[in-house]
Amino acid sequence: MRRVLIVGATSPLARYMAHEFARAGDRLFLAARDEQELERIAGDVRVRFGATVHAGRFDAEAIDEHEAFLQTVLDALGGLDGVVWVAGTMDGLEEAFRQPSAVRRLIDVNFSGAASLLTLCACYLEQQGAGFIAGVSSVAGDRGRAQNYPYGAAKGGFSLFLQGLRNRLSKRGVQVITIKPGFVDTRMTWGRDKLPFLASPQRVARESVQAILKGRDIAYVPGVWWLVMLVLRAIPERIFKRMNI
Ligand SMILES: NC(=O)c1ccc[n+]([C@@H]2O[C@H](COP(=O)([O-])OP(=O)(O)OC[C@H]3O[C@@H](n4cnc5c(N)ncnc54)[C@H](OP(=O)(O)O)[C@@H]3O)[C@@H](O)[C@H]2O)c1
């Protein structure tokens, strides 16, 4: 039995990851801003799997509250063995091409909020000498693209943060994994046509949890994105800037 915190638990991807952990008998703390939806999801996981599931409000942007939030989690679960960061947003992407406040918000939620809470979790797990940190980043963080670079930059920063954390904590018994989904069929991609390799949140959740439990360092999900991004990263900038991708 592990004690696992899932942040951004109202996302379908996180919800199905919660199913995977609960099925394995783990105790969960589900966190996000929408408390009503959280309670609904927590109740559903309790009934389906007979699991112990706590739920609590968490706002990535309220960095001053992160320390108290982690203490609430530790009190509820009686400790912590793993944290899965799934929270993220692409809201305001269009505005972010012009407005400083919009670009800052994308960075605050997708990067600063994640780095803040995971820094606190890392200190706890490092002292314990065991545990895991899984961060859901994105293939969008692998290369700056004209269509989404304010979001991609935040995810790219998050991937680098996780990489450094992994290299620090690997000597301390703590596993850090970077999960890089391609397109997932959720609210974030709703209404966008012909997305290549679009995967269901169930599939991405299942493969992500498998990667965590196998102790992987980086997992592209589905795996085909490893090859896609290898090719995309190899295209020289002078050609890439003329392409419409
Ligand atoms: N969908 C895709 O194609 C795709 C591809 C690659 C990576 N991803 C990543 O996968 C993760 C899940 O995304 P999704 O597609 O499932 O989108 P989603 O349904 O919009 O879920 C986003 C989650 O983030 C939470 N969140 C947003 N702002 C927050 C804040 N300020 N504080 C705390 N939580 C916040 C939301 O909860 P509340 O609103 O309740 O706070 C929700 O649980 C994200 O990190 C996303 O970047 C998605």
Side-chain angles (χ1 to χ4, degrees):
M1 187 275 298
R2 288 161 294 230
R3 295 156 297 182
V4 181
L5 164 64
I6 303 181
V7 184
T10 52
S11 112
L13 176 53
R15 199 170 72 228
Y16 290 117
M17 288 174 94
H19 287 191
E20 297 293 323
F21 285 111
R23 189 177 288 119
D26 295 339
R27 289 219 309 252
L28 303 177
F29 193 109
L30 306 181
R33 289 168 308 170
D34 185 340
E35 290 179 277
Q36 264 190 340
E37 182 64 1
L38 270 182
E39 275 309 329
R40 205 188 59 71
I41 293 168
D44 177 67
V45 178
R46 280 183 206 117
V47 170
R48 271 178 204 262
F49 303 98
T52 302
V53 186
H54 303 271
R57 188 175 197 282
F58 172 79
D59 186 346
E61 292 183 86
I63 283 178
D64 291 349
E65 296 167 13
H66 287 187
E67 210 163 339
F69 167 76
L70 180 59
Q71 194 52 55
T72 304
V73 174
L74 294 173
D75 292 345
L77 291 177
L80 188 67
D81 302 301
V83 48
V84 185
W85 177 279
V86 191
T89 187
M90 223 174 356
D91 290 354
L93 180 64
E94 285 303 316
E95 292 83 348
F97 293 121
R98 311 258 176 271
Q99 292 171 13
S101 60
V103 76
R104 192 179 81 173
R105 187 158 179 277
L106 283 176
I107 292 167
D108 282 353
V109 175
N110 293 303
F111 177 64
S112 308
S116 161
L117 183 70
L118 294 185
T119 293
L120 296 170
C121 294
C123 292
Y124 179 86
L125 295 175
E126 181 182 21
Q127 210 165 27
Q128 181 167 267
F132 71 82
I133 292 173
V136 174
S137 184
S138 172
V139 296
D142 276 16
R143 185 146 198 184
R145 290 171 51 217
Q147 290 170 14
N148 70 357
Y149 65 87
Y151 167 79
K155 287 295 194 181
F158 186 37
S159 294
L160 269 186
F161 176 84
L162 291 167
Q163 186 177 48
L165 196 60
R166 171 164 51 250
N167 291 326
R168 181 164 80 82
L169 294 185
S170 65
K171 294 123 191 144
R172 307 273 181 177
V174 181
Q175 176 216 344
V176 179
I177 173 169
T178 312
I179 297 167
K180 297 185 180 184
F183 295 119
V184 190
D185 193 3
T186 66
R187 192 180 77 91
M188 210 175 254
T189 49
W190 192 81
R192 292 174 64 191
D193 288 341
K194 294 187 199 136
L195 294 174
F197 308 115
L198 184 69
S200 69
Q202 290 97 319
R203 177 179 176 188
V204 175
R206 195 177 56 246
E207 293 184 10
S208 298
V209 173
Q210 280 168 0
I212 294 170
L213 300 183
K214 278 184 189 154
R216 301 262 305 276
D217 293 324
I218 300 170
Y220 286 86
V221 277
V224 66
W225 284 96
W226 176 81
L227 190 62
V228 173
M229 296 317 296
L230 189 74
V231 173
L232 276 188
R233 281 197 313 269
I235 300 171
E237 196 75 353
R238 67 178 184 286
I239 298 172
F240 197 76
K241 70 184 180 190
R242 293 197 196 104
M243 294 169 74
N244 193 20
I245 50 177

